[in-house]
Structures are given as structure tokens and as C-alpha cells.
Amino acid sequence: MIRQYWNSATVKFVYGLARRFWLLVVLVILVTFLAGIFESLCIAILIPFLSALSGVPYEASNKVLSYFYEFINQSRIQHDTTLLLLFIFILFVLRSLMLWLSAFLQNFFSYRLSVLLRRNFLLYIYDTSWQFLVQQKFGHMQHIMSRGIPQVVDFFSRGVGFFHNALLLSVYVVFAFMVSPSMTLIALGGGLIFILLLQFLVLTIRRYSRRIVELEKDFAHYIYQLVTGIKMIKSSVSRALIQQQIEKFSKEFMDASFSFSALYPLGTIFFQPLAVFLVFAIFFFSYEKPGFHFASFVVLLYLIYRIVSQVQSMQNIIQSLASYLPQVSNFAGFYHTLAEQKEEDSAQGLPFVFDKEIQLAQVGFAYNGSKTIFHDLTFTIKKGSTVGIVGTSGVGKTTLADLILRLLHPTAGKILIDGKNIKDISLKDWRRHIGYVSQDPFLFNDTIRNNIKLYDDSIDDALVLQALERAYIGDLIKQLPRGLDTLVGDRGMTLSVGQRQRLVLARIFARDPELIILDEATSALDNESESMVRQSVDSFQGKKTVMIIAHRLTTVMNVDQILVLDDGRI
């Protein structure tokens, strides 16, 4: 089962992040080690101090402790109670400072990792090929962002915490061995047996955690579909059927969560009785033996308490890591896949130059070896012309737009601009000179200004207003109380479909592209809105190159050339 999650993608992901943050991890280890040393020194001083109070002398059996006590005896500290307590206080302050610094570095690591993963994940999605993205469930990706990344961050944070506790444990164990090797071995043996017994529990927790992760992903995608299709669902009176699906998801999730919740606390619950048993065992084992020293026994009990606390913390961390590992494996796999599916860009990186024509020369295309969409597709679009592309539904009109946008790539033939293959032109430069308007206009839940500018500060308000006028929506914006600062709502829901479409046109106009592609941009508009969009497009005739994709001939009556797609050909 462990191999199922520790696959090559997971190992590569974990190793890559470990290399990136190695300095922070080393600093955490260093300050943790110093904290353990300072605390051990405090405890070491208590043995001769308690021995003096009880009147029973103590002789250290360990050379390191002997040297330390000799140093204490030769200094004024041993004979001055105030100075001794002050020394102990300073050591505890230094210990607390190191522990605070360790906690600060661990929190800083968590925040840095969270920002890095969110940033890279979004950029990977942006850079991923379109053909791969359209095959994904967007609800799953949303779940990874909202639920997966926090758990991945927690996994690594707890991993660093595990090393933190392991280092403290090592310091306490070493010092406990210096005080009494036999009693320390009893404590360690009991703890090791308990950890081995809990391995079955860890594996079971991991299995239920994997099930919860899968259910959360599927439920997140289902919710995403419900929200985006809520209008259709409400109008079709499907509430009872939807409720049945929700109840099914909820029951499966509650069953897995109940089992997980019942098993997860068992490790902590059974650990405390073990600790009490170890204390009694150590006492009965050592009390009757010659050389029993009460002061060292008290110090050893404190050390065993600290050891047991660290082992318990490490056991809890192991259970947490086991529960997070399925999510980490899922995230690492998708993260790795996104990186591998990066969109192809030109190796030559030629600049965009459009002086004459765009030509499709014997272009063929098929989706992943399936049915051929285009074969021997050949036509030319002259610069400054307006071309209409018409055809029945499913004939490939939008696929043609995706080819020109370089979201997809021809499986045969080539697309040329002024005689140069478009794949040799910088992808960023290519898309900067193309404006695309789809049937479903997309707007951010933000102001009209930011939706036009798309956060591009080089576009000022004067250019925004000019673009709105050219899209025949300027007068409407001026009538709004907040003008350009008006919020449009989620996906622009406070505006009509026609208004949203004209805002998207204004966004294109503000960038002044060389080629404008309208993909069924007016199919869902009323006559008045369609007329306004046509007027906007007509104003570009002879100035810009426009490609209008439609299924109605009436939409492309005023163009220079009409191309009809049929059976993969023009």
C-alpha cells in the first residue's frame, strides 16, 4: 500500500521541495538541537542540587557528566543558591528562545510553501496544453486548490515537526543514558513495542484517508457542476434527483469519516496508560537495586516524561502523515502531469509580423487519434479582410479557431502567416496580436475597469472608455452610479448576455489586435444586441482582419468571403 503512494512522482515532488527548502530545515534542526542541549544542562544541574538538599552524595558514572559536575564544583555556582537558580533560569530562557525560533522557522516554511504551491499550480494550469485541460474535471482541480494544497503544506510541516521531535528525543535519550542506561533501555523498549503494535492502525487510517480524498474530489466536482448549471437544474424541477445524489455522496463520506474518526485517536488514548506503566516498571526495577539514588531517579523520571512526550508526538505525526499521504500522492501526480503537459512554444521565437495573409495549407487534425476532424483543409485569409466560417454543429468550426489560436496543433499540414509557419513564432507574441470572443463571454467578479484592462496598467481609463464606445456600451456604463468601478458579479451575472458580450468586445478593442476571431459570438444574443455587435465588427472592415464563425448565414452577410466547412474540408 505504501508503494501505491510513494510512486516516482511523489518521491520526485517531495525531494524537489526538500532541496528547495534545505536551508530552513537545517536551521530548524540546529536551533532544536541547541534547545535540547540547554534543557539537558538545566536538568544536569538539578542532580547535585537535589543531592545536596537530601544529604546523599551523587557520583556520576559517565565521564561527560563527571567533567560537567567538576566544572560546577570549581565555580561559585554550586555554593551560591541564588547564582545557581539564576544560571538555571538563563538556560531555560535560552531553551525557550530556541524553541520559539524553531516554531517561527516552521511557520515561515509553511507559509512560503503554501504560496509557492498555489503560485506554481496556477501557472502550470495556465501553461498546460488546452487538449489536456479540456479532458480534466475542473471540480477536481478546484478541490486540489482549496483542500489539497493545505493538506500538502500540513504534510511537509508535520514532516519537519517530526525531525524536530526526533532530534529532541535523541538529546533526551543520550542524556538519559548518561544518568542510567538500564532504566533508559526499559523506557525505550516499551515505547518501541507500542509503536510496532500501532503499525496496523496506521495502515488502516491511511486506507480510510484515501477513500475520503477520492470522495472529496468527486463531491467537489459535483458541486462545481451544480453551481454552474443551477439555472437549468432549477428550471427542470430536478431537486429530488439532485438530493438523492447529494445524500448518496454524504452517506459514503460519513461512513468513511466515521471509521477514520474512530481510529485516529486510539494511538493517543493508549499511549498515556503505557507511560504510567513504564514509570512504575522503572521504579520497581531500580528501587531495590544497590546504588539507587533518589535525585537521579527524579531527573530520570523527568527525562522519561520528555522522551514519552516526544514519542507520543512523533506517533501522532506518523498518523497524520499516513492520513495526508494519499492527498500528497494525488497532488504530486497531478502536479507532475501538469508540468509534463506544458504547452508547446516556438524554439525560434520569431516576432509576430502580419503584412499579407494567413494561409492554411493541407491542414489535418484529429483528437488523440480519434475520428478525423479536418483533412486537406486549405484556404487563405487576406490581411484586412472579414471572413465568415459557417457549417453545421460539430463540423469543427471552434476547432478551427483553436488551431489558429494555437490551443491545438495540426496533425498534418501547416498554418502560415506571410509564408512563415506560425509554430515558429513566439506563442506569447502570437496571442498578444489575436483577440478571441466566444459564445460564452467570461467576466471576472470584479469592476468593469479591471475586466477591460485585465489588470494591464498600460491600458489607461481613456483607452478603456474608448473601447467601450467602440463596443456600443459606453453610454450604459456612464449611466451606472459607480461607472467603471461597478462590480459585474460572478461571471458578469448582473449584466445581460448582450451587455456581457459587448464588454468582452471592449476588452478586445482595448488591446488593438491584428486578428479578431468571433466564435458564435452573437448566437445567444437578441436582435438589438446582435445588431450592436455587428456594428462594432463592421467598423473594423478594411482595418483589421476578422474571422466570424457562425452557423447562420445571416450572421455573415456583410463579410468579404464566406467559407463553408463540410466533412473536414472547405
Side-chain angles (χ1 to χ4, degrees), residues 536-556:
S536 299
V537 175
D538 290 345
S539 66
F540 283 106
Q541 284 192 324
K543 303 174 185 177
K544 299 292 180 182
T545 306
V546 182
M547 188 171 80
I548 303 175
I549 295 174
H551 62 269
R552 296 194 304 259
L553 281 173
T554 54
T555 307
V556 293

mmCIF file of all heavy atoms in Angstrom, residues 536-556:
data_model
loop_
_atom_site.group_PDB
_atom_site.id
_atom_site.type_symbol
_atom_site.label_atom_id
_atom_site.label_comp_id
_atom_site.label_asym_id
_atom_site.label_seq_id
_atom_site.Cartn_x
_atom_site.Cartn_y
_atom_site.Cartn_z
ATOM 1 N N SER A 536 -20.104 47.051 -34.311
ATOM 2 C CA SER A 536 -18.740 47.123 -33.782
ATOM 3 C C SER A 536 -17.771 46.428 -34.724
ATOM 4 O O SER A 536 -16.691 46.942 -35.023
ATOM 5 C CB SER A 536 -18.676 46.466 -32.403
ATOM 6 O OG SER A 536 -19.526 47.126 -31.493
ATOM 7 N N VAL A 537 -18.166 45.246 -35.196
ATOM 8 C CA VAL A 537 -17.292 44.479 -36.076
ATOM 9 C C VAL A 537 -17.161 45.152 -37.435
ATOM 10 O O VAL A 537 -16.059 45.215 -38.009
ATOM 11 C CB VAL A 537 -17.837 43.037 -36.235
ATOM 12 C CG1 VAL A 537 -17.012 42.261 -37.253
ATOM 13 C CG2 VAL A 537 -17.837 42.321 -34.887
ATOM 14 N N ASP A 538 -18.274 45.697 -37.950
ATOM 15 C CA ASP A 538 -18.238 46.344 -39.264
ATOM 16 C C ASP A 538 -17.288 47.533 -39.288
ATOM 17 O O ASP A 538 -16.719 47.872 -40.334
ATOM 18 C CB ASP A 538 -19.643 46.805 -39.667
ATOM 19 C CG ASP A 538 -20.561 45.629 -39.995
ATOM 20 O OD1 ASP A 538 -20.033 44.511 -40.185
ATOM 21 O OD2 ASP A 538 -21.794 45.821 -40.028
ATOM 22 N N SER A 539 -17.105 48.164 -38.116
ATOM 23 C CA SER A 539 -16.220 49.331 -38.070
ATOM 24 C C SER A 539 -14.763 48.948 -38.312
ATOM 25 O O SER A 539 -13.923 49.817 -38.570
ATOM 26 C CB SER A 539 -16.345 50.035 -36.712
ATOM 27 O OG SER A 539 -15.861 49.200 -35.661
ATOM 28 N N PHE A 540 -14.461 47.642 -38.267
ATOM 29 C CA PHE A 540 -13.096 47.187 -38.474
ATOM 30 C C PHE A 540 -12.823 46.759 -39.906
ATOM 31 O O PHE A 540 -11.685 46.441 -40.244
ATOM 32 C CB PHE A 540 -12.788 46.001 -37.545
ATOM 33 C CG PHE A 540 -12.520 46.405 -36.133
ATOM 34 C CD1 PHE A 540 -13.465 46.182 -35.156
ATOM 35 C CD2 PHE A 540 -11.334 47.012 -35.784
ATOM 36 C CE1 PHE A 540 -13.236 46.543 -33.853
ATOM 37 C CE2 PHE A 540 -11.084 47.379 -34.480
ATOM 38 C CZ PHE A 540 -12.029 47.152 -33.503
ATOM 39 N N GLN A 541 -13.842 46.714 -40.713
ATOM 40 C CA GLN A 541 -13.648 46.238 -42.080
ATOM 41 C C GLN A 541 -12.614 47.078 -42.810
ATOM 42 O O GLN A 541 -12.691 48.313 -42.839
ATOM 43 C CB GLN A 541 -14.967 46.250 -42.846
ATOM 44 C CG GLN A 541 -15.890 45.093 -42.460
ATOM 45 C CD GLN A 541 -17.053 44.919 -43.408
ATOM 46 O OE1 GLN A 541 -17.588 45.894 -43.923
ATOM 47 N NE2 GLN A 541 -17.468 43.687 -43.648
ATOM 48 N N GLY A 542 -11.603 46.369 -43.352
ATOM 49 C CA GLY A 542 -10.528 47.041 -44.055
ATOM 50 C C GLY A 542 -9.412 47.495 -43.135
ATOM 51 O O GLY A 542 -8.328 47.835 -43.614
ATOM 52 N N LYS A 543 -9.662 47.522 -41.823
ATOM 53 C CA LYS A 543 -8.639 47.964 -40.863
ATOM 54 C C LYS A 543 -8.018 46.790 -40.116
ATOM 55 O O LYS A 543 -6.815 46.784 -39.864
ATOM 56 C CB LYS A 543 -9.242 48.943 -39.862
ATOM 57 C CG LYS A 543 -9.878 50.177 -40.500
ATOM 58 C CD LYS A 543 -10.583 51.008 -39.442
ATOM 59 C CE LYS A 543 -11.319 52.184 -40.073
ATOM 60 N NZ LYS A 543 -12.080 52.972 -39.068
ATOM 61 N N LYS A 544 -8.840 45.836 -39.741
ATOM 62 C CA LYS A 544 -8.382 44.659 -39.031
ATOM 63 C C LYS A 544 -8.849 43.414 -39.776
ATOM 64 O O LYS A 544 -9.813 43.453 -40.542
ATOM 65 C CB LYS A 544 -8.933 44.629 -37.594
ATOM 66 C CG LYS A 544 -8.518 45.805 -36.734
ATOM 67 C CD LYS A 544 -7.027 45.784 -36.422
ATOM 68 C CE LYS A 544 -6.638 46.976 -35.567
ATOM 69 N NZ LYS A 544 -5.166 46.991 -35.302
ATOM 70 N N THR A 545 -8.170 42.322 -39.521
ATOM 71 C CA THR A 545 -8.574 41.041 -40.091
ATOM 72 C C THR A 545 -9.539 40.377 -39.111
ATOM 73 O O THR A 545 -9.220 40.220 -37.925
ATOM 74 C CB THR A 545 -7.359 40.143 -40.328
ATOM 75 O OG1 THR A 545 -6.397 40.848 -41.123
ATOM 76 C CG2 THR A 545 -7.773 38.850 -41.025
ATOM 77 N N VAL A 546 -10.724 40.016 -39.599
ATOM 78 C CA VAL A 546 -11.776 39.470 -38.738
ATOM 79 C C VAL A 546 -12.230 38.123 -39.283
ATOM 80 O O VAL A 546 -12.476 37.979 -40.490
ATOM 81 C CB VAL A 546 -12.974 40.427 -38.638
ATOM 82 C CG1 VAL A 546 -14.032 39.853 -37.688
ATOM 83 C CG2 VAL A 546 -12.542 41.812 -38.166
ATOM 84 N N MET A 547 -12.332 37.142 -38.372
ATOM 85 C CA MET A 547 -12.866 35.836 -38.750
ATOM 86 C C MET A 547 -14.108 35.589 -37.899
ATOM 87 O O MET A 547 -14.031 35.516 -36.664
ATOM 88 C CB MET A 547 -11.825 34.731 -38.499
ATOM 89 C CG MET A 547 -12.245 33.376 -39.060
ATOM 90 S SD MET A 547 -10.927 32.134 -38.991
ATOM 91 C CE MET A 547 -11.051 31.636 -37.289
ATOM 92 N N ILE A 548 -15.270 35.495 -38.569
ATOM 93 C CA ILE A 548 -16.543 35.309 -37.876
ATOM 94 C C ILE A 548 -17.006 33.872 -38.076
ATOM 95 O O ILE A 548 -17.238 33.438 -39.208
ATOM 96 C CB ILE A 548 -17.610 36.286 -38.408
ATOM 97 C CG1 ILE A 548 -17.128 37.728 -38.269
ATOM 98 C CG2 ILE A 548 -18.920 36.089 -37.674
ATOM 99 C CD1 ILE A 548 -18.075 38.745 -38.885
ATOM 100 N N ILE A 549 -17.136 33.149 -36.978
ATOM 101 C CA ILE A 549 -17.613 31.766 -37.021
ATOM 102 C C ILE A 549 -19.085 31.764 -36.636
ATOM 103 O O ILE A 549 -19.470 32.327 -35.599
ATOM 104 C CB ILE A 549 -16.805 30.883 -36.054
ATOM 105 C CG1 ILE A 549 -15.350 30.811 -36.512
ATOM 106 C CG2 ILE A 549 -17.406 29.488 -35.957
ATOM 107 C CD1 ILE A 549 -14.442 30.079 -35.554
ATOM 108 N N ALA A 550 -19.921 31.159 -37.463
ATOM 109 C CA ALA A 550 -21.361 31.164 -37.201
ATOM 110 C C ALA A 550 -21.991 29.936 -37.845
ATOM 111 O O ALA A 550 -21.403 29.287 -38.703
ATOM 112 C CB ALA A 550 -21.997 32.436 -37.757
ATOM 113 N N HIS A 551 -23.212 29.629 -37.403
ATOM 114 C CA HIS A 551 -23.935 28.542 -38.065
ATOM 115 C C HIS A 551 -25.106 29.083 -38.888
ATOM 116 O O HIS A 551 -25.807 28.330 -39.540
ATOM 117 C CB HIS A 551 -24.435 27.509 -37.041
ATOM 118 C CG HIS A 551 -25.404 28.068 -36.040
ATOM 119 N ND1 HIS A 551 -25.009 28.600 -34.841
ATOM 120 C CD2 HIS A 551 -26.755 28.163 -36.066
ATOM 121 C CE1 HIS A 551 -26.064 28.996 -34.160
ATOM 122 N NE2 HIS A 551 -27.145 28.744 -34.883
ATOM 123 N N ARG A 552 -25.313 30.431 -38.802
ATOM 124 C CA ARG A 552 -26.365 31.052 -39.615
ATOM 125 C C ARG A 552 -25.723 31.955 -40.659
ATOM 126 O O ARG A 552 -24.844 32.772 -40.357
ATOM 127 C CB ARG A 552 -27.307 31.895 -38.745
ATOM 128 C CG ARG A 552 -28.092 31.111 -37.724
ATOM 129 C CD ARG A 552 -29.230 31.959 -37.166
ATOM 130 N NE ARG A 552 -28.749 33.217 -36.609
ATOM 131 C CZ ARG A 552 -28.573 33.442 -35.305
ATOM 132 N NH1 ARG A 552 -28.829 32.478 -34.435
ATOM 133 N NH2 ARG A 552 -28.147 34.605 -34.879
ATOM 134 N N LEU A 553 -26.173 31.835 -41.892
ATOM 135 C CA LEU A 553 -25.632 32.676 -42.964
ATOM 136 C C LEU A 553 -25.949 34.157 -42.743
ATOM 137 O O LEU A 553 -25.192 35.033 -43.155
ATOM 138 C CB LEU A 553 -26.190 32.225 -44.323
ATOM 139 C CG LEU A 553 -25.529 30.991 -44.954
ATOM 140 C CD1 LEU A 553 -26.304 30.566 -46.200
ATOM 141 C CD2 LEU A 553 -24.080 31.304 -45.319
ATOM 142 N N THR A 554 -27.075 34.443 -42.070
ATOM 143 C CA THR A 554 -27.452 35.842 -41.850
ATOM 144 C C THR A 554 -26.422 36.581 -40.992
ATOM 145 O O THR A 554 -26.301 37.809 -41.074
ATOM 146 C CB THR A 554 -28.827 35.904 -41.150
ATOM 147 O OG1 THR A 554 -28.786 35.103 -39.945
ATOM 148 C CG2 THR A 554 -29.914 35.387 -42.064
ATOM 149 N N THR A 555 -25.676 35.836 -40.191
ATOM 150 C CA THR A 555 -24.673 36.465 -39.319
ATOM 151 C C THR A 555 -23.476 36.952 -40.118
ATOM 152 O O THR A 555 -22.768 37.863 -39.686
ATOM 153 C CB THR A 555 -24.211 35.459 -38.241
ATOM 154 O OG1 THR A 555 -25.357 34.931 -37.562
ATOM 155 C CG2 THR A 555 -23.310 36.121 -37.219
ATOM 156 N N VAL A 556 -23.238 36.380 -41.293
ATOM 157 C CA VAL A 556 -22.020 36.703 -42.048
ATOM 158 C C VAL A 556 -22.347 37.298 -43.424
ATOM 159 O O VAL A 556 -21.570 37.152 -44.376
ATOM 160 C CB VAL A 556 -21.142 35.434 -42.211
ATOM 161 C CG1 VAL A 556 -20.610 34.989 -40.865
ATOM 162 C CG2 VAL A 556 -21.926 34.303 -42.863
#
